[in-house]
């Protein structure tokens, strides 16, 4: 009886189809009708015309081949990238862009991590920020203008709200503008986790004070982490100068403990937190280095 | 003599076309492997890693893989049905359309028309083309099988039938999209749901392109070229049905620790582990078949291709499931381990078995012998060394990446920046390029051997005419 | 053409005397994986064991 199946191709094809459909229905088709597959966070907003254009460029250039957009709920991963990804963050992504390979870092929490200027300069020359980076340069995108008509049709297909002004404004924008706008919105529907203030911040004085070599150690760390934004010798660039006495846009010097805290926890306007990447000794050595450079400048 | 002839021209056309696209895909692969450690080789807009990687994967999966599958399946189906294809003209048109579609696919991907669904990157007009190609294939395969002159359907036909059905369902569902112009579309699925559909497709594309049709070749050409019959019919039956049943549950193992609901992830992991059994059903069947006379490994040059191929299939189908387990996934997911895994399957199992099938077919078509067994042996050892070197270096660097990403200092802070981890990959990425060159040279020996065999066959036919 | 298509006999492709044999080792693998699957499913299904990846994460950070 069972042997008959292998003599009847149509019957065989029907049985094979049914067998193939079982797993398909249980794990792919059925879940579509459950709520768990269509969640949406309350403060998730549809993409603006500029952001959507940026997302389209991200897809066109195949950025997903090297960057993921999902932080796994694993301790060190959350420390490195930020709060783990929530199902409700992706309701407007057609398709999802989680990726499958991290040749470059995850981008799920890139939005708001750096100022726009950082992105513009980094896209133009990633190696200026990280000498050993293997990311291609994307400065050529700034010479390509957006096409408002195309953007409008894409907004329509996605059903995102827009005004005539939004669309008209695109004519003056480049593809690089759009890509940066997209970078800045990724993952922003989830509130940034406020890093717990580093315990050492309470210490007003630098414990390395009196250590003659501390600023030299600090210089090594500075060159690795800081000079891309704050410039050679702390003279300033994308980020403010560290050698003057203006701190956080206010005239007047601040205490060692406060500088430590800024490095550890970052600031709301563009300085990323480093507490998870630098241990206490390294951060204090940076404070020593900054003080050393300040002193040289006086 | 017989009152009919097999359509050799179409079979040969597909084989030669697939070799051509294979060369394109491999050259692009070498190029992007160098881009990994030499970013100056990114030449915008067309020749950047992000655009070229999809040309590499599509060129080899569709151009080399599916091209060879079309041609070799036609060859197998005609023989097992004991009759020519039911629609020989359709098959010829199928060949032309296939080449046009692959050429357009490559150009469109260089141009950045990319849906960003892995292994389903082609935009909607080409998706329609792919579906038409598949329907043409299905019509001829089913038509020829239904009108066959041999009552019993042999194992290879089961696998070909399953391939035709599964790929059709997978491809159509995953590519459902709303067009926004001729070169852009947005899928109907969004967010988490889109991820679930994509990897249901993505993993089963591996299952029904890189597994079932290759098993059809294995079950046909192993006994044909060695003269040793397949060991156990019953094992073939159990392995076939459990394989096609279990495969479709497993896609979400690509989404472990993502926001996809836990139960779908867990089910996928369980069925992925189970897949070891049916996969090893074919491995065991292959070993026991040749086990009745191991001297074939020395006396018949093709035996070692098939045994090495099925061995890599066996290793692949143990390694893959291991990767699905949560604790392993934590470490190696998103690292270079994964390309190492993929390339053992494609370079070891798929290419090895397909090349051996072609070595069998081409001399048969021309009624001659292979040009040189020596060249074939050189080909064998070079692709074996190249592939092992590729996979092993990628496994090492993948484990290293995973370990560096999670390493912490005594006070709990992360020990390495992302860039420090990346910098440590460079020596391995350079070694990988060397491995790719060795593999490519091996493939050139293969192509030379096939070319010379065809030349010999043509000269023979001319002298007889 | 003297093609050999006529000697494609299924009898030549499949063994007769061993056709019904399934090696014991393979059967152990087959059933063993099914048993392991039931265990793993029970351990990691939210509705059975209560395990979720979020809970596992919370535990790992409070440790």
């Amino acid at each position: 009886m069972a042997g008959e199946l292998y003599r009847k191709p149509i019957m065989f094809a029907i049985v094979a189809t049914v067998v193939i459909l079982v797993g398909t229905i249980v794990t792919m088709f059925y879940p579509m009708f459950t709520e768990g597959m269509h969640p949406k966070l309350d403060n998730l907003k549809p993409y603006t015309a500029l952001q959507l254009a940026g997302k389209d460029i991200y897809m066109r250039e195949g950025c997903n081949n090297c960057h993921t957009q999902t932080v796994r709920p694993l301790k060190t991963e959350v420390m490195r990238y930020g709060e783990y990804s929530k199902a409700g963050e992706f309701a407007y992504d057609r398709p999802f862009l989680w990726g499958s390979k991290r040749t470059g870092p995850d981008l799920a929490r890139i939005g708001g991590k750096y100022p726009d200027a950082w992105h513009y300069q980094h896209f133009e020359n990633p190696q200026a920020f990280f000498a050993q980076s293997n990311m291609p340069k994307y400065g050529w995108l700034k010479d390509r203008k957006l096409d408002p008509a195309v953007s409008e049709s894409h907004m329509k297909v996605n059903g995102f709200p827009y005004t005539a002004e939004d669309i008209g404004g695109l004519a003056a924008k480049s593809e690089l503008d759009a890509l940066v706008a997209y970078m800045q919105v990724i993952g922003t529907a989830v509130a940034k986790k406020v890093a717990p203030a580093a315990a050492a911040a309470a210490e007003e004085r630098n414990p390395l004070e009196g250590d003659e070599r501390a600023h030299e150690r600090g210089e090594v760390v500075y060159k690795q982490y800081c000079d891309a934004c704050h410039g050679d010798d702390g003279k300033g660039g994308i980020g403010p100068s560290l050698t003057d006495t203006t701190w956080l846009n206010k005239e007047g010097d601040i205490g060692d403990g406060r500088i430590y805290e800024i490095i550890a926890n970052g600031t709301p306007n563009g300085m990323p937190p480093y507490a998870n990447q630098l241990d206490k000794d390294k951060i204090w050595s940076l404070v020593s280095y900054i003080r050393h450079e300040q002193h040289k400048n006086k | 003599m017989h009152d009919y002839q097999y359509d050799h021209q179409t079979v040969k056309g597909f084989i030669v076309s697939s070799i051509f696209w294979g060369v394109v895909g491999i050259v692009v692969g070498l190029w992007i492997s160098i881009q990994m450690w030499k970013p100056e080789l990114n030449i915008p807009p067309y020749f950047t890693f992000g655009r070229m990687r999809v040309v590499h994967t599509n060129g080899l999966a569709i151009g080399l893989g599916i091209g060879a599958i079309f041609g070799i399946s036609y060859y197998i189906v005609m023989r097992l049905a004991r009759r020519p294809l039911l629609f020989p003209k359709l098959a010829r048109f199928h060949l032309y359309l296939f080449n046009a579609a692959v050429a357009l696919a490559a150009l469109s991907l260089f141009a950045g028309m990319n849906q960003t669904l892995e292994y389903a990157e082609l935009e909607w007009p080409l998706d329609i083309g792919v579906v038409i190609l598949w329907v043409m294939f299905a019509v001829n395969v089913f038509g020829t099988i239904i009108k066959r002159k041999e009552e019993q359907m042999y194992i290879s036909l089961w696998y070909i039938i399953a391939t035709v059905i599964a790929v059709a369902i997978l491809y159509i569902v995953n590519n459902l999209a709303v067009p926004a112009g001729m070169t852009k579309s947005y899928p109907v699925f969004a967010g988490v749901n889109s991820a679930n559909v994509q990897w249901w497709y993505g993993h089963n594309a591996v299952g029904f392109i890189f597994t079932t049709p290759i098993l059809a070749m294995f079950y046909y050409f192993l006994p044909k070229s060695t003269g040793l019959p397949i060991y156990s019919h019953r094992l073939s039956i159990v392995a076939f049905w459990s394989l096609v049943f279990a495969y479709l549950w497993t896609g979400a193992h690509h989404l472990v620790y993502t926001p996809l609901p836990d139960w779908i992830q867990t089910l996928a992991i369980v069925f992925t582990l189970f897949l070891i059994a049916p996969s090893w059903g074919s491995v065991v069947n292959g070993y026991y078949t040749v086990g009745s006379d191991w001297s074939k490994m020395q006396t018949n040059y093709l035996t070692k291709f098939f045994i090495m191929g099925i061995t890599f299939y066996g290793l692949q189908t143990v390694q893959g499931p291991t990767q699905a387990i949560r604790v392993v996934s934590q470490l190696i997911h998103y690292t270079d381990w994964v390309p190492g895994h993929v390339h053992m399957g494609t370079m070891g199992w798929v290419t090895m078995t397909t090349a051996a099938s072609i070595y069998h077919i081409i001399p048969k078509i021309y009624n001659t012998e292979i040009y040189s067994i020596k060249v074939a042996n050189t080909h064998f050892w070079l692709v074996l060394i190249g592939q092992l070197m590729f996979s092993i270096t990628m496994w090492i660097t993948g484990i290293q990446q995973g370990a560096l990403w999670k390493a912490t200092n005594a006070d709990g802070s992360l020990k390495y920046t992302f860039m420090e981890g990346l910098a440590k990959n460079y020596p391995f990425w350079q070694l990988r390029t060397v491995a790719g060159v060795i593999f490519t040279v091996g493939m050139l020996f293969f192509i030379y051997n096939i070319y010379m065999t065809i030349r010999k066959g043509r000269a023979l036919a001319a002298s007889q005419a | 053409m003297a093609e050999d298509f006529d000697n494609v006999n299924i009898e030549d492709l499949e063994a007769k005397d061993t056709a019904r044999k399934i090696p014991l080792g393979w059967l152990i693998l087959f059933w063993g994986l099914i048993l392991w699957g039931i265990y793993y499913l029970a351990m990691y299904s939210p509705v059975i064991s209560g395990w979720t990846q979020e809970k596992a994460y919370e535990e790992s950070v409070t440790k």
Side-chain angles (χ1 to χ4, degrees), chain B residues 6-74:
Chain B
Y6 291 143
D7 190 354
H8 290 142
Q9 286 303 328
T10 305
V11 170
K12 201 178 68 194
F14 269 113
I15 288 173
V16 172
S17 308
S18 71
I19 291 174
F20 172 78
W21 294 116
V23 172
V24 174
I26 288 173
V27 169
V28 172
L30 283 176
W31 187 340
I32 62 175
S33 86
I34 302 173
Q35 283 174 338
M36 292 287 279
W37 49 271
K38 206 170 171 39
E40 293 81 5
L41 246 67
N42 285 283
I43 305 165
Y46 304 113
F47 307 107
T48 56
F49 184 90
R51 293 198 187 183
M52 289 180 78
R53 189 224 165 201
V54 294
V55 178
H56 169 65
T57 54
N58 282 274
L60 290 174
I62 301 180
L64 174 64
I66 294 188
I69 289 165
F70 282 154
I72 297 173
S73 297
Y74 280 154

Side-chain angles (χ1 to χ4, degrees), chain A residues 119-164:
Chain A
H119 285 291
Y120 279 99
Q121 293 185 23
H122 181 262
F123 274 125
E124 281 210 39
N125 190 1
Q127 285 72 28
F129 287 74
F130 308 104
Q132 290 180 297
S133 169
N134 61 351
M135 174 160 157
K137 296 175 167 62
Y138 283 97
W140 55 279
L141 292 175
K142 72 177 187 300
D143 303 324
R144 293 164 67 116
K145 294 282 162 237
L146 295 179
D147 182 339
V150 168
S151 281
E152 186 170 12
S153 78
H154 290 184
M155 290 295 278
K156 269 188 193 144
V157 171
N158 280 279
F160 297 156
Y162 62 90
T163 64

Side-chain angles (χ1 to χ4, degrees), chain B residues 262-331:
Chain B
D262 291 319
W263 69 270
I264 303 180
Q265 295 183 31
T266 298
L267 261 184
I269 295 169
V270 166
F271 276 87
T272 304
L273 263 293
F274 171 73
L275 266 181
I276 296 175
S279 308
W280 273 75
S282 293
V283 177
V284 167
N285 227 348
Y287 283 164
Y288 271 70
T289 299
V290 179
S292 64
D293 182 7
W294 280 114
S295 71
K296 291 280 181 195
M297 287 289 274
Q298 285 180 346
T299 56
N300 180 310
Y301 81 104
L302 283 180
T303 314
K304 63 178 172 294
F305 278 88
F306 287 114
I307 287 298
M308 217 55 220
I310 201 75
T311 300
F312 282 121
Y313 176 64
L315 293 174
Q316 185 77 356
T317 53
V318 170
Q319 190 184 56
T322 312
Q323 289 163 216
I325 302 173
R326 284 191 169 87
V327 60
V328 182
S329 177
Q330 281 187 11
L331 183 69

Side-chain angles (χ1 to χ4, degrees), chain B residues 1-2 4-6 8 75 79-80 82 150 152-155 220 223-224 228-236 238 242 257-260 262-263 265-267 269-270 273-274 276-278 280-281 284 288 325-326 364-365 367, chain C residues 1-27 29-47 50-57:
Chain B
M1 288 302 284
H2 303 272
Y4 60 88
Q5 279 203 332
Y6 291 143
H8 290 142
Y75 181 93
R79 272 147 193 85
L80 289 175
R82 285 177 186 253
E150 159 69 53
Q152 193 74 18
M153 291 194 295
Y154 177 64
I155 314 160
Y220 181 81
K224 278 302 287 180
L228 303 171
I230 291 295
Y231 174 78
S232 167
H233 181 71
R234 180 177 279 181
L235 184 55
S236 304
V238 181
S242 46
Y257 284 117
T258 66
L260 186 76
D262 291 319
W263 69 270
Q265 295 183 31
T266 298
L267 261 184
I269 295 169
V270 166
L273 263 293
F274 171 73
I276 296 175
W280 273 75
V284 167
Y288 271 70
I325 302 173
R326 284 191 169 87
K364 281 272 185 285
I365 286 180
N367 195 22
Chain C
M1 274 201 164
E3 230 274 299
D4 71 334
F5 46 72
D6 259 2
N7 65 17
V8 178
N9 289 314
I10 290 189
E11 289 74 35
D12 298 337
L13 296 176
E14 284 187 307
K16 273 233 166 71
D17 46 341
T18 54
R20 298 182 152 278
K21 284 190 190 161
I22 294 184
L24 180 66
W26 187 83
L27 283 172
L29 179 76
F30 184 89
W31 291 108
L33 284 167
I34 290 176
L35 289 177
W36 178 87
I38 294 168
Y39 157 79
Y40 194 89
L41 196 65
M43 284 293 287
Y44 289 99
S45 286
V47 290
W51 182 92
T52 71
Q53 59 185 25
E54 277 86 2
K55 272 193 226 162
Y57 169 73

Side-chain angles (χ1 to χ4, degrees), chain B residues 180-195:
Chain B
M182 281 305 287
T183 60
K184 174 81 187 163
S185 63
Y186 293 93
V188 296
F189 309 114
V192 182
N193 192 35
S194 129

Side-chain angles (χ1 to χ4, degrees), chain B residues 58-362:
Chain B
N58 282 274
L60 290 174
I62 301 180
L64 174 64
I66 294 188
I69 289 165
F70 282 154
I72 297 173
S73 297
Y74 280 154
Y75 181 93
I76 295 175
V77 166
M78 286 192 284
R79 272 147 193 85
L80 289 175
R82 285 177 186 253
R83 58 156 298 141
L85 291 176
L86 191 58
F87 307 107
K89 281 194 183 128
L90 181 72
R92 185 59 63 87
F93 186 57
H94 183 211
L95 170 64
Y96 301 145
L97 193 66
F98 165 79
N99 280 302
V102 178
L104 281 174
L107 292 177
S108 75
L109 292 172
F110 274 123
M113 297 162 197
N114 180 347
Q115 295 191 119
T116 65
L117 295 168
E118 266 187 89
Y119 316 115
E121 282 91 354
L122 301 179
E123 270 298 349
W124 68 272
L126 277 162
D127 285 340
I128 293 173
V130 171
V131 171
I132 292 171
L133 277 173
W134 204 258
V135 170
M136 293 165 94
F137 179 56
V139 165
N140 240 330
V141 164
F142 278 119
T144 309
I145 291 176
I146 288 168
K147 299 274 178 194
R148 72 196 181 286
K149 299 202 171 87
E150 159 69 53
E151 201 189 10
Q152 193 74 18
M153 291 194 295
Y154 177 64
I155 314 160
S156 295
L157 294 183
W158 315 345
Y159 279 107
I160 290 172
I161 291 172
T163 303
V164 170
I165 296 168
V167 172
I169 299 172
L170 291 158
Y171 198 84
I172 292 173
V173 172
N174 192 47
N175 282 292
L176 291 175
V178 184
M182 281 305 287
T183 60
K184 174 81 187 163
S185 63
Y186 293 93
V188 296
F189 309 114
V192 182
N193 192 35
S194 129
N196 196 38
V197 176
Q198 153 60 24
W199 283 114
W200 162 80
Y201 162 87
H203 190 69
N204 286 292
V206 177
F208 290 91
I209 298 292
F210 290 152
T211 305
T212 50
I214 316 298
L215 282 172
M217 295 179 201
F218 179 78
Y219 276 110
Y220 181 81
F221 291 108
L222 179 70
K224 278 302 287 180
S225 53
T226 59
L228 303 171
I230 291 295
Y231 174 78
S232 167
H233 181 71
R234 180 177 279 181
L235 184 55
S236 304
I237 293 180
V238 181
F240 172 81
W241 288 109
S242 46
L243 185 93
V244 298
F245 174 73
Y247 238 110
L248 283 299
W249 299 70
T250 58
H253 67 218
H254 287 256
L255 298 168
V256 173
Y257 284 117
T258 66
L260 186 76
D262 291 319
W263 69 270
I264 303 180
Q265 295 183 31
T266 298
L267 261 184
I269 295 169
V270 166
F271 276 87
T272 304
L273 263 293
F274 171 73
L275 266 181
I276 296 175
S279 308
W280 273 75
S282 293
V283 177
V284 167
N285 227 348
Y287 283 164
Y288 271 70
T289 299
V290 179
S292 64
D293 182 7
W294 280 114
S295 71
K296 291 280 181 195
M297 287 289 274
Q298 285 180 346
T299 56
N300 180 310
Y301 81 104
L302 283 180
T303 314
K304 63 178 172 294
F305 278 88
F306 287 114
I307 287 298
M308 217 55 220
I310 201 75
T311 300
F312 282 121
Y313 176 64
L315 293 174
Q316 185 77 356
T317 53
V318 170
Q319 190 184 56
T322 312
Q323 289 163 216
I325 302 173
R326 284 191 169 87
V327 60
V328 182
S329 177
Q330 281 187 11
L331 183 69
I332 54 96
H333 201 18
Y334 306 129
T335 72
D336 276 279
W337 171 287
V338 180
H341 169 68
V342 173
H343 283 83
M344 173 164 68
T346 50
M347 291 166 138
W349 155 240
V350 177
T351 313
M352 200 76 110
T353 308
T354 309
S357 306
I358 293 172
Y359 273 142
H360 177 94
I361 291 172
I362 293 293

